[in-house]
Amino acid sequence: MPETLIAQFDALHAERLRSWDPDKLRRNVEQRAALVAAFDPARIVAVGDRLEPFSLELSTGETVTLDRLTSRGPVALVFFRFAGCPACNIALPHYDRTLRPFLDAAGIALVGVSPHLPETGLSEIEARHGLGFPVAADRGNALARRLGIAFTPHDDPPVPQGDSHWIGALTGTGSWELPQPAVILIDADHVVRFVDVSPDWLRRTEADTVIAAVRQRAQAA
C-alpha cells in the first residue's frame, strides 16, 4: 500500500475514473475545485492564536474540554468529514500508522474530530480501523465554524427526505455543512502552533509535514 496520502488519494480517484458515473464524477471534481478557489487562508485560525474554551463529545458520548485535552501537554486535532467518507477512511488509519507513534513519543495527544454524532455512528470509523486514538464529535460544527474551516457545497444540493444516512442526518445539522480536513496543533497554553487546512478533501496534510513542524518547534525551544 502506498504510504503517502497523495498516492492513496490518487489511487482512489483513478478508481473513480474507471467506475463512477461521469456526471457524478464531474460534480465531485467541480465541488473540490470550487472549494479550492474559494479558500481564503486569512479567514481561518492562525498560528499564534489563543483558543477560547471549547468542548467535544467522544464517540462514547463523554464530553471532553480543551482544558482536559491539553492537561498533559499539546493536542493535535485532525478534522475529518464523517465516518463513511472514503477519503477519511484512508486518512485516519494512515495517521494512526504514520503520525500517532511519533506524537505519542513527543507527548502530544491525537484526536480525530468530525461533526458526525456519537448517536448516529461516529464510532464506526474508530472500530473499523482499530484506531489507537479517539474520535470526537464537534456538535453542530461549532468548533469548525470558530476556526473558519466549515463549508457548505457551492451548488446547494437538495436536502434528501427521509434518508437517515445523508450527511445532515449523521451530523444532526439538517444541512450539508462539513469541516474542511485540517490538522491543528494546540499547546498546553491553548495557543495554536501548527495549522494546515485542505479545502480539497483529496489533498490532506501528510504525516511528515506535521512531524517536521513538531521537530522544528522542539529545536527552536
Side-chain angles (χ1 to χ4, degrees):
M1 176 183 294
E3 270 303 303
T4 63
L5 279 175
I6 191 170
Q8 293 176 75
F9 289 148
D10 284 350
L12 174 64
H13 185 65
E15 175 57 33
R16 289 173 172 178
L17 287 173
R18 290 190 292 269
S19 62
W20 272 22
D21 172 79
D23 188 55
K24 179 181 179 181
L25 180 65
R26 176 188 57 78
R27 292 196 306 270
N28 181 277
V29 171
E30 287 179 354
Q31 179 60 56
R32 290 162 42 214
L35 289 169
V36 171
F39 182 65
D40 181 1
R43 300 183 65 180
I44 67 172
V45 65
V47 170
D49 288 351
R50 187 182 298 275
L51 298 185
E52 295 298 320
F54 63 79
S55 62
L56 301 169
E57 297 175 46
L58 296 178
S59 61
T60 59
E62 180 184 3
T63 297
V64 289
T65 63
L66 175 58
D67 281 337
R68 178 175 166 187
L69 289 171
T70 57
S71 62
R72 297 185 179 180
V75 61
L77 302 182
V78 174
F79 283 83
F80 67 101
R81 289 151 49 87
F82 57 99
C85 164
C88 303
N89 278 272
I90 290 173
L92 266 62
H94 175 85
Y95 288 138
D96 197 37
R97 294 190 305 271
T98 62
L99 180 59
R100 181 180 58 82
F102 172 83
L103 294 181
D104 283 349
I108 301 172
L110 179 62
V111 179
V113 182
S114 167
H116 196 151
L117 300 177
E119 61 264 35
T120 60
L122 172 62
S123 63
E124 290 174 4
I125 196 167
E126 198 173 11
R128 183 180 301 126
H129 302 289
L131 297 179
F133 60 89
V135 296
D138 174 24
R139 192 173 287 270
N141 286 299
L143 181 57
R145 290 178 183 179
R146 283 172 49 183
L147 299 175
I149 63 173
F151 77 94
T152 53
H154 75 291
D155 53 354
D156 192 26
V159 172
Q161 300 299 316
D163 183 355
S164 62
H165 298 289
W166 80 287
I167 288 170
L170 297 177
T171 63
T173 64
S175 75
W176 291 98
E177 185 181 44
L178 288 171
Q180 294 175 335
V183 178
I184 299 174
L185 178 63
I186 307 164
D187 72 13
D189 295 320
H190 303 174
V191 176
V192 175
R193 297 303 182 187
F194 174 85
V195 177
D196 192 45
V197 181
S198 307
D200 181 347
W201 60 80
L202 289 190
R203 289 293 181 266
R204 305 194 188 194
T205 310
E206 295 287 354
D208 285 349
T209 302
V210 183
I211 292 170
V214 171
R215 284 176 171 161
Q216 183 178 20
R217 174 167 169 75
Q219 290 171 355

